[in-house]
Amino acid sequence: MLDIEGLVVRYGAREPVHHGVSLEVAEAGVVALLGANGAGKTSLMRAVSGTLPLHGGSVTAGSIRFLGQEVAGANPASVVAQGLVQVPEGRHVFGALTVDENLDAGGITVRSREARARTRRQLFEMFPRLAERRKQRAGTLSGGEQQMLAIARALMARPKLLLLDEPSLGLAPMLVKQIGETVRDISREGVPVLLVEQNAAMALSVAHRAYVLELGRVVLSGPADELARSDEVRRLYLGEESGPRPGEARPVPELDRWTA
Amino acid sequence: MKRSRPRVVSAAALALALAVTGCSSKATSSSKNTTPGVTDTTIKLGMLMDLSGAFATSGKTSNTAGQFAVDEINAAGGVCGRKIELVVRDHAYDVQKAVTAYDEVAPQVLGFLNVYGSAITGALRDKISANDMLVGLTAFAPTLLGDPHLIVVGSTYDIQAINAVDWLVREGKLKKGDTLGHIYLQGEIGENSLKGSTYATQQLGLKLASQQIKPTDADLTSQVNAVKAAGAKAILLDSTAKQTAAVVSEAQAAGLDVPVVGNVASFAASLLSTAAAPALLKQYYRVSGIGLLSAQTPAVQKLAEKWKAKFGAQQPESGGAVVLSYFSTHLWAKIIGGTCGDLTRKGVLAARAKVTGFSMDGLGPALDLSDPAQPSSRESQIHRPNKSAYAGMEMVEDFKVSDLAKQYQIKAG
Amino acid sequence: MSDATATAAVAPRAVARRLPGALLLAAAVVVLLALPLYLEAFWLRIGLFSMATAVGALGLTILFGAAGQLSLGHAFFVAVGTYGYAFLSGGDTGHVKGLGLPPIVAAVLATLLAGVCGLLFSPVAGRLRGIYLGIASLGLVFLGHHLLLNLRPVTGGYDGRSVTPFSLGGFLFSDSSDLAVLGVPFGAVESLWYLFLAVTAVATLVARNVLRGRPGRAFRLMRDNEVGAAAMGVRVQRAKASAFVLSSMYAGVAGVLTALAFQRAVPDYFDLGLSIDFLAMIILGGLGSTSGAIVGATFVVALPIVLSRYADALPLVVGPGQDGLDASIAAQFVYGALVVVVMLTQPGGLRAMVHTLRQRRRPPYARRTP
Amino acid sequence: MTRLLELLVNGVSLGLLYALITLGFVIVFKATRVVNFAHASFLLLGVYVVASAQPSIGFGAAALLGLAVAGLLGLATERLLLSRVDRRNHHAMAILTIGLNVVLTAELTRRLGESVLPLGAPWDGHVVKLGPLTLPLTVVLTIVAVPVLIGGLTALLTLTGWGLAMRASIADAEGAALVGIRLRRVSATAWVLAGLLATAAGIGLASFPSPGVSLSIESVAIAAFPAAIIGGFDSLGGAIAGGLIVGVVQVLVAGNQDSLSFLGLGAGDVVAYLVMIVVLLWRPSGLFGSKEFSRV
């Protein structure tokens, strides 16, 4: 459904973030993309959703095809129109707007009023907390509630594929678990999910397939359960042994600005 | 490397400096034998005007009228057997540009026919006296008196205010015990005018209610209301032309149905096409120390014809600026004509004091420049707007000096 | 390219690359020193204004370029320098008072006074960011203008006050000095040229050291991330205040120089337009760089004046008083359009443009990625 | 008492016009993070077009033309200039508007000079008596029309999809892009709105008893700066409140010059900035502003 091939992203004149990343998301299920901070995960998500220019970046090589259509370099609105919706890292809910208005905005590309109302009802069943707080400003919600809202807002657009960028970031372990369940629910409802996570344990527990990105390259890929058992992943991402490998550089400091 | 750099620099600098300074052209050209701006055939005079800034219309008008006079003088053979040439520079009412333009023009000219703008004159005063330059002004501030380098043509703002108050009383528009409202601009015009109105109201047993405004103020409702609350029976107004329109309309809006007398700069012909026109025609008068472009004397008619010949139906915004510039250019010719034997800046300064009875019928009052500490005249005219008069103004009262203005003591600044 | 790396041990290639630079600098210094012997007062005056403005721009580029504090109040601090000098060095004339201090003392005190004003404003500056700070400081310009008009005994009101010529060790920097060098009479502009050159050079060196040294790093850290800077041991409030005070003192020096260049202090010069011009200068030149500030200042100051002078020679532009496009308006058009074009093509300013050109010319091995 | 009331009414009317100017300024800033230094010249250009077209096509059509030209100028600024700059480089964009302002001001100065162009509005020259108060009709119309205009704008922003898109982009640009809102379109509308609001305010400022359109109107529009700050940049309500506060304070101070002489003469303009600094010391992001916005 989503085919990325040989992707290279650059921010201005800086060194490219990727060195030809390729990955694939199937028609159903959850695909996890793992990697340390600075590996290029967020840039990859931005490349797919078309928001790279907002951060001064661009796709300089490779292709991103969604349902056979090239989307690399397309603007975010047309990407959304094609059914590819992203929940960004850091949630980016509309703090000054109410929960209801956030959901309205999420469904802004859906023409049918009736369809919007139906989706909203379903979402309120899925996230009862949001229904309770529908008149409240999103900025006043807790972190976990904001994450739920961000996901619900994306689902309002009735996506064909949902991209989730670091949904567990900054959340308490219990909430992380809840997010994992939500992701599983969404894919069960028939919406495939590309999940980008630093929290490999959670991601691998819900994903079917996974890719591991390191310094702009895919270094590992395969079925999630196999990866979860591999030594490398266990050591590096599941925290069974701490500290980076010798020789593995920390992210280039200049890149922090762009990926933070 | 880092340490060696200054040595390289200074050595090279020294060598080059020695090589270079041997042949400075500036050294030879700056011999002081000849007077700047004077050759056997020409006399150059400078003009520093605002031709592109906020007062560009006035600047251009003065420039044109000055050129009319110069052409006339040259056609009649020039002065001291030499033709007058103008060196015009635009300062756009920007002090920095004015100072550089002065530096550029000063070495080329005998004197300045006109330097426009009080801020500009202020910035240049020290240089002007250092250069023994004689400078004509488009300003009537008594604070400019006492400096032999500056020419203030005609009566000063304070005297004009006194004459205006005197006229209001003579016409019965103000009676003893009445209140005069005075709305005045912060700056040399308004504050000097206030001295005059304060003096006149004291002498004539009137009360004064004054309100200060800034040149940039557009909404003057509160000032007008304040004057109204003080019970003013007439308003003396020192403002820009735009503000005049605002004041008369706001007075009308506030139901304050009293005469408004403005100074010479407070009117522009285009105001008569604005919404303020009815109020202006009804209430507004102008006091002026120089002549009126629609006056019926031959000298004035000749000038008006020149303007018509050049601009056709397009009448000047400010008839006063046309008259003043033309009049003072002729005055300059008179001054220079008095020192043909000594065409130097010092000679010109001395010649200025010899002019005691210069007049041109209807263009201006008889001028006496002998004492720089006294105004060259104490006479004023009163004008009022009239759509059919040339440049929008007609005569109410010809040049006259009030007794009050005669005895008024000016403290030169 | 820090100087610390350019020790004697550096490969000969690096030395070879730097040598032309040193010679260029030497040539520039010679030319600058010799100019008063050749140029007329008009050009020297432009130079004086440019240098005075450049010093002010240096201060703003430290404040805004490095520390990220947007100030639209720079004109105010320049005014403090100008009037401070005029008041402290001036004598009593009529209603206008003065303390009659020796000019050099007055100049130093005026600079400190501007710094103190900056310090007084720093509680506000420290609390505000971005556009809030920009407009709050804009308030200073209006407040300052109001004070200039109303504090008559100090400022002389709308008419301004004259400025005591500078003197140092008995030498008077004015037209009444009898000094002549190689037959060229040294009046105010010629002698002030050297004074300004010296002050500008010192100001540039200090600014360069500040920007390249520890304070500059602290400022930039603070600009990019206050919390991060605090975590790295930068005392944010103090660093902000010191950036503000330093920049105010630069403005103060610029003010003193402006006073000397004008030979008179007039209130209307210190308006919002001046503050905005300062901002345009440093961004046109290249934000946060000393050379950018100087180039930007020279450009903004000189362009309208030079264009007016050569109006006759330019197509479409008419001389003063003729009908058509006035030189001064044309200068405004060119200035405005250039600002737009530079921002469209080189948002990094003229300095970035030079940098790109230089990189293009340089052989590939010398090219560095920034 | 009557006088105080008159001053107050005049102040409110002026304040409402400031509010319109400030609204446009704030909307652009919120939608694009650009400080529009050319805002005052947008206003002057719009109202200049009205005044110069009015003799030949009548006031109504001229007003529409003026609004259209200013709106188009806003659109062109966004489309032709700002959209070519990296949208994160707010400094470059702000400086670009400075350049634009220089060009516009130069051209308008050249055209207007010292002259005053009559606005030709049908309410010019009319005075209304309301009990003891004598007020220009303009003042009364302003007090009625501006709230209606602001109400209409608020309704558009809260009730329509366009308004939702606008508010969502203002709240979080990236979030808005990710739900399919076209940010370019939103910025373009913000710039068009700025031009329209500025011209509307300009028509008020140039109306009787003001004699017409002249250069000084531009300096009046600068009062939008402190007004925007007093209100707090991220609240439209704040823009309105800020405008009102500045208008009322200015008129009251100017009207009581005599008793306030210790402030120095002509304190009316300065006092807005004094209020602003006091407000900022108390609340660093204005009366209604929220914290994040001062972090721009």
Side-chain angles (χ1 to χ4, degrees):
Chain A
M1 161 168 238
L2 180 69
D3 287 294
I4 299 176
E5 265 183 44
L7 183 73
V8 177
V9 166
R10 284 183 91 121
Y11 292 98
R14 287 156 200 278
E15 294 293 315
V17 179
H18 301 127
H19 304 280
V21 173
S22 300
L23 61 82
E24 197 179 320
V25 181
E27 304 282 332
V30 179
V31 174
L33 179 60
L34 309 178
N37 200 0
K41 305 182 306 274
T42 293
S43 294
L44 185 129
M45 293 298 253
R46 287 175 183 162
V48 175
S49 64
T51 49
L52 266 179
L54 292 182
H55 303 269
S58 59
V59 174
T60 51
S63 78
I64 303 170
R65 296 172 80 79
F66 180 64
L67 296 171
Q69 293 262 27
E70 180 64 50
V71 294
N75 75 44
S78 66
V79 174
V80 172
Q82 288 179 51
L84 192 56
V85 182
Q86 185 196 338
V87 178
E89 178 189 326
R91 300 156 203 140
H92 289 275
V93 294
F94 307 125
L97 274 55
T98 63
V99 168
D100 259 345
E101 288 173 328
N102 267 273
L103 296 179
D104 287 341
I108 210 160
T109 50
V110 179
R111 283 283 159 85
S112 150
R113 180 183 290 255
E114 196 194 326
R116 286 204 303 262
R118 190 158 12 103
T119 318
R120 183 189 304 249
R121 271 197 307 279
Q122 291 166 355
L123 286 171
F124 280 153
E125 274 167 33
M126 195 167 170
F127 304 109
R129 292 285 288 199
L130 293 183
E132 286 165 29
R133 298 177 187 251
R134 53 193 295 177
K135 296 294 169 208
Q136 211 167 311
R137 282 188 177 218
T140 64
L141 300 182
S142 72
E145 288 164 345
Q146 287 193 12
Q147 188 61 56
M148 296 300 174
L149 176 60
I151 295 173
R153 185 183 67 185
L155 291 173
M156 277 298 290
R158 306 172 70 86
K160 297 188 183 121
L161 171 64
L162 187 68
L163 308 178
L164 269 176
D165 195 355
E166 304 274 11
S168 73
L169 198 71
L171 296 185
M174 219 186 67
L175 285 167
V176 173
K177 214 175 128 204
Q178 202 182 331
I179 297 274
E181 275 157 25
T182 306
V183 171
R184 203 174 286 144
D185 288 348
I186 293 169
S187 82
R188 256 187 227 131
E189 299 277 330
V191 180
V193 177
L194 173 58
L195 173 65
V196 169
E197 262 301 339
Q198 260 184 35
N199 187 331
M202 184 272 267
L204 290 174
S205 73
V206 297
H208 304 102
R209 274 188 73 81
Y211 292 82
V212 176
L213 207 57
E214 239 173 51
L215 293 174
R217 283 188 181 85
V218 172
V219 291
L220 283 174
S221 65
D225 44 354
E226 272 179 36
L227 275 184
R229 286 195 300 271
S230 81
D231 284 349
E232 210 174 348
V233 170
R234 287 163 69 111
R235 191 163 50 81
L236 281 174
Y237 298 102
L238 299 177
E240 301 196 354
E241 204 183 290
S242 57
R245 269 184 312 189
E248 177 173 292
R250 278 166 289 111
V252 187
E254 281 150 329
L255 286 177
D256 278 347
R257 276 175 92 149
W258 311 114
T259 52
Chain B
M1 182 63 208
K2 196 183 173 191
R3 245 172 295 134
S4 74
R5 207 195 290 174
R7 229 179 295 146
V8 175
V9 171
S10 49
L14 198 65
L16 248 166
L18 288 173
V20 140
T21 47
C23 49
S24 169
S25 59
K26 208 172 160 186
T28 50
S29 70
S30 57
S31 52
K32 285 189 170 171
N33 305 335
T34 54
T35 301
V38 180
T39 68
D40 291 343
T41 51
T42 59
I43 294 173
K44 281 191 181 173
L45 295 177
M47 274 181 112
L48 281 188
M49 313 299 289
D50 179 2
L51 299 171
S52 59
F55 302 98
T57 320
S58 300
K60 285 178 181 165
T61 305
S62 305
N63 191 26
T64 311
Q67 192 65 51
F68 284 167
V70 168
D71 292 346
E72 237 172 64
I73 294 162
N74 288 344
V79 269
C80 303
R82 296 167 171 87
K83 305 268 187 217
I84 295 179
E85 264 180 43
L86 295 182
V87 182
V88 185
R89 287 294 177 272
D90 173 24
H91 60 54
Y93 216 82
D94 175 322
V95 177
Q96 187 171 311
K97 281 184 197 145
V99 174
T100 20
Y102 178 89
D103 274 350
E104 187 215 336
V105 176
Q108 316 170 26
V109 297
L110 180 61
F112 278 86
L113 187 58
N114 200 338
V115 169
Y116 185 90
S118 56
I120 311 286
T121 317
L124 293 174
R125 272 180 86 164
D126 301 339
K127 287 163 169 290
I128 288 170
S129 48
N131 295 344
D132 296 323
M133 201 74 91
L134 182 64
V135 172
L137 302 174
T138 310
F140 310 95
T143 39
L144 297 166
L145 297 177
D147 186 341
H149 302 92
L150 306 178
I151 306 176
V152 178
V153 177
S155 55
T156 46
Y157 297 120
D158 45 356
I159 290 182
Q160 290 169 21
I162 294 170
N163 285 337
V165 178
D166 180 76
W167 176 79
L168 283 165
V169 173
R170 272 190 285 124
E171 291 290 308
K173 294 174 195 291
L174 275 181
K175 284 185 283 297
K176 203 168 179 147
D178 280 353
T179 300
L180 172 73
H182 190 171
I183 297 177
Y184 66 100
L185 273 178
Q186 179 182 55
E188 69 170 12
I189 300 183
E191 286 163 28
N192 286 310
S193 178
L194 186 67
K195 287 182 197 157
S197 66
T198 309
Y199 175 78
T201 45
Q202 275 168 6
Q203 297 292 316
L204 296 170
L206 303 165
K207 281 180 273 186
L208 183 68
S210 61
Q211 285 288 315
Q212 197 192 45
I213 56 176
K214 280 197 229 177
T216 47
D217 285 343
D219 182 0
L220 302 171
T221 317
S222 38
Q223 286 85 353
V224 171
N225 279 331
V227 170
K228 181 193 172 194
K233 292 281 188 300
I235 296 176
L236 198 59
L237 178 62
D238 295 283
S239 63
T240 64
K242 301 161 200 173
Q243 290 172 327
T244 301
V247 166
V248 293
S249 346
E250 277 155 8
Q252 195 194 34
L256 182 61
D257 201 14
V258 300
V260 176
V261 185
N263 71 20
V264 67
S266 70
F267 181 78
S270 66
L271 292 184
L272 292 181
S273 60
T274 66
L280 280 168
L281 291 168
K282 191 168 163 219
Q283 313 283 24
Y284 177 74
Y285 300 88
R286 177 176 78 178
V287 59
S288 166
I290 46 157
L292 178 67
L293 193 55
S294 65
Q296 297 303 310
T297 69
V300 176
Q301 297 267 312
K302 184 169 146 198
L303 173 58
E305 287 310 319
K306 276 181 193 284
W307 189 277
K308 284 176 197 162
K310 180 159 177 157
F311 295 102
Q314 194 195 334
Q315 299 191 4
E317 263 287 76
S318 164
V322 177
V323 174
L324 174 65
S325 180
Y326 180 80
F327 183 57
S328 51
T329 307
H330 278 289
L331 173 63
W332 255 96
K334 167 87 176 172
I335 293 172
I336 296 173
T339 182
C340 288
D342 178 20
L343 274 177
T344 61
R345 288 181 183 164
K346 288 221 161 83
V348 170
L349 285 176
R352 164 217 164 103
K354 287 186 242 158
V355 176
T356 52
F358 179 78
S359 75
M360 287 177 83
D361 191 19
L363 285 165
L367 298 182
D368 177 357
L369 298 181
S370 57
D371 183 358
Q374 290 302 318
S376 49
S377 156
R378 291 181 182 235
E379 294 179 40
S380 314
Q381 290 181 339
I382 305 286
H383 310 149
R384 65 179 295 164
N386 181 336
K387 278 189 177 172
S388 54
Y390 197 63
M393 275 282 170
E394 66 174 10
M395 184 84 76
V396 176
E397 187 180 84
D398 206 346
F399 283 118
K400 184 179 167 70
V401 53
S402 62
D403 295 339
L404 221 50
K406 266 185 212 152
Q407 42 178 282
Y408 175 69
Q409 296 288 316
I410 286 189
K411 280 178 233 109
Chain C
M1 263 211 253
S2 77
D3 279 330
T5 59
T7 53
V10 165
R13 197 171 58 200
V15 176
R17 215 191 312 135
R18 301 197 117 224
L19 201 59
L23 283 177
L24 213 66
L25 186 69
V29 168
V30 172
V31 170
L32 285 173
L33 288 174
L35 280 178
L37 299 172
Y38 294 89
L39 291 183
E40 335 159 13
F42 171 79
W43 293 105
L44 294 178
R45 179 81 57 189
I46 293 180
L48 295 185
F49 285 136
S50 301
M51 287 191 269
T53 314
V55 173
L58 285 172
L60 193 62
T61 213
I62 294 174
L63 182 66
F64 184 46
Q69 288 177 278
L70 172 63
S71 170
L72 290 173
H74 219 53
F76 169 77
F77 296 104
V78 177
V80 171
T82 297
Y83 278 92
Y85 174 78
F87 174 72
L88 293 166
S89 67
D92 290 352
T93 43
H95 300 297
V96 185
K97 306 291 172 214
L99 296 186
L101 297 176
I104 177 75
V105 178
V108 171
L109 287 181
T111 307
L112 292 176
L113 185 65
V116 169
C117 288
L119 191 66
L120 290 177
F121 191 69
S122 66
V124 180
R127 285 163 63 94
L128 303 177
R129 288 187 195 87
I131 186 66
Y132 281 88
L133 176 56
I135 295 177
S137 53
L138 174 68
L140 285 180
V141 175
F142 285 86
L143 214 63
H145 196 253
H146 184 68
L147 292 177
L148 293 187
L149 293 176
N150 283 286
L151 286 180
R152 293 277 172 95
V154 178
T155 64
Y158 58 86
D159 205 19
R161 60 179 296 161
S162 49
V163 170
T164 316
F166 198 72
S167 65
L168 194 60
F171 179 74
L172 195 60
F173 291 72
S174 91
D175 289 333
S176 43
S177 141
D178 293 328
L179 180 71
V181 176
L182 298 161
V184 177
F186 260 49
V189 268
E190 286 85 2
S191 42
L192 282 176
W193 177 270
Y194 294 104
L195 177 70
F196 277 42
L197 216 50
V199 173
T200 311
V202 171
T204 311
L205 287 176
V206 172
R208 197 168 281 232
N209 282 335
V210 166
L211 287 171
R212 291 185 177 175
R214 274 174 58 87
R217 273 199 298 279
F219 290 162
R220 279 189 291 273
L221 268 174
M222 183 175 76
R223 171 193 69 193
D224 294 338
N225 184 347
E226 274 188 24
V227 181
M232 296 186 71
V234 176
R235 284 200 263 170
V236 171
Q237 289 301 321
R238 233 181 100 162
K240 276 183 157 183
S242 50
F244 212 87
V245 170
L246 184 64
S247 127
S248 309
M249 287 174 66
Y250 264 91
V253 176
V256 175
L257 297 185
T258 306
L260 295 173
F262 273 126
Q263 299 167 0
R264 193 163 180 105
V266 281
D268 283 355
Y269 180 67
F270 306 99
D271 62 358
L272 169 60
L274 181 65
S275 275
I276 290 187
D277 280 348
F278 270 120
L279 200 59
M281 281 166 210
I282 58 170
I283 298 190
L284 266 180
L287 200 53
S289 99
T290 49
S291 52
I294 295 171
V295 171
T298 311
F299 178 79
V300 170
V301 168
L303 178 78
I305 306 177
V306 173
L307 217 56
S308 301
R309 169 138 192 201
Y310 292 104
D312 309 337
L314 297 171
L316 296 175
V317 177
V318 299
Q322 287 158 281
D323 294 322
L325 186 60
D326 282 300
S328 160
I329 296 273
Q332 291 286 306
F333 282 149
V334 173
Y335 169 37
L338 268 175
V339 168
V340 171
V341 168
V342 170
M343 286 303 109
L344 283 180
T345 55
Q346 281 290 349
L350 298 171
R351 183 170 156 270
M353 204 181 283
V354 173
H355 194 72
T356 339
L357 287 178
R358 220 189 264 163
Q359 286 226 331
R360 225 174 265 164
R361 273 217 318 261
R362 226 183 253 173
Y365 65 81
R367 205 172 280 173
R368 291 153 184 248
T369 37
Chain D
M1 190 60 216
T2 310
R3 190 166 123 63
L4 186 68
L5 207 59
E6 263 177 5
L7 284 178
L8 218 59
V9 173
N10 278 309
V12 168
S13 154
L14 181 64
L16 284 169
L17 296 177
Y18 283 161
L20 284 187
I21 306 172
T22 311
L23 265 179
F25 184 64
V26 168
I27 286 176
V28 161
F29 181 77
K30 291 179 66 171
T32 65
R33 296 290 167 92
V34 177
V35 180
N36 179 13
F37 284 101
H39 196 58
S41 50
F42 277 27
L43 182 151
L44 188 57
L45 179 89
V47 79
Y48 169 77
V49 170
V50 178
S52 45
Q54 161 274 127
S56 44
I57 61 175
F59 176 75
L64 290 179
L65 184 69
L67 287 166
V69 169
L72 279 175
L73 176 68
L75 186 66
T77 306
E78 205 281 335
R79 276 291 138 99
L80 302 179
L81 302 178
L82 298 178
S83 66
R84 286 162 208 269
V85 181
D86 178 353
R87 66 176 284 138
R88 295 160 311 135
N89 196 343
H90 307 124
H91 293 158
M93 292 201 260
I95 297 300
L96 207 148
T97 65
I98 290 181
L100 183 66
N101 186 54
V102 169
V103 173
L104 284 173
T105 306
E107 180 60 15
L108 286 163
T109 308
R110 189 163 83 96
R111 284 168 176 270
L112 270 167
E114 289 152 85
S115 57
V116 186
L117 298 183
L119 190 67
W123 50 82
D124 265 2
H126 295 282
V127 176
V128 190
K129 285 211 180 286
L130 286 176
L133 306 182
T134 316
L135 297 165
L137 181 56
T138 315
V139 167
V140 181
L141 285 179
T142 305
I143 289 176
V144 176
V146 174
V148 170
L149 207 60
I150 291 175
L153 186 67
T154 316
L156 278 178
L157 281 173
T158 45
L159 301 178
T160 65
W162 168 83
L164 182 64
M166 198 73 198
R167 288 188 299 140
S169 327
I170 286 169
D172 192 309
E174 183 158 12
L178 289 172
V179 297
I181 292 167
R182 293 178 193 272
L183 293 183
R184 282 267 154 248
R185 202 174 283 173
V186 169
S187 338
T189 357
W191 281 91
V192 170
L193 261 183
L196 296 179
L197 289 170
T199 306
I203 290 176
L205 288 177
S207 285
F208 182 86
S210 160
V213 178
S214 66
L215 284 178
S216 53
I217 286 186
E218 196 171 345
S219 59
V220 177
I222 304 241
F225 281 121
I229 292 294
I230 290 173
F233 249 118
D234 66 336
S235 132
L236 298 186
I240 298 162
L244 279 172
I245 290 172
V246 170
V248 170
V249 167
Q250 268 188 7
V251 171
L252 284 182
V253 169
N256 293 295
Q257 239 185 44
D258 300 334
S259 39
L260 294 172
S261 55
F262 63 92
L263 288 175
L265 292 162
D269 297 352
V270 184
V271 92
Y273 289 94
L274 284 178
V275 172
M276 175 187 80
I277 288 177
V278 171
V279 166
L280 284 179
L281 280 174
W282 170 45
R283 293 179 65 101
S285 30
L287 292 178
F288 299 91
S290 64
K291 278 239 169 81
E292 312 97 83
F293 252 87
S294 59
R295 290 179 181 275
V296 171

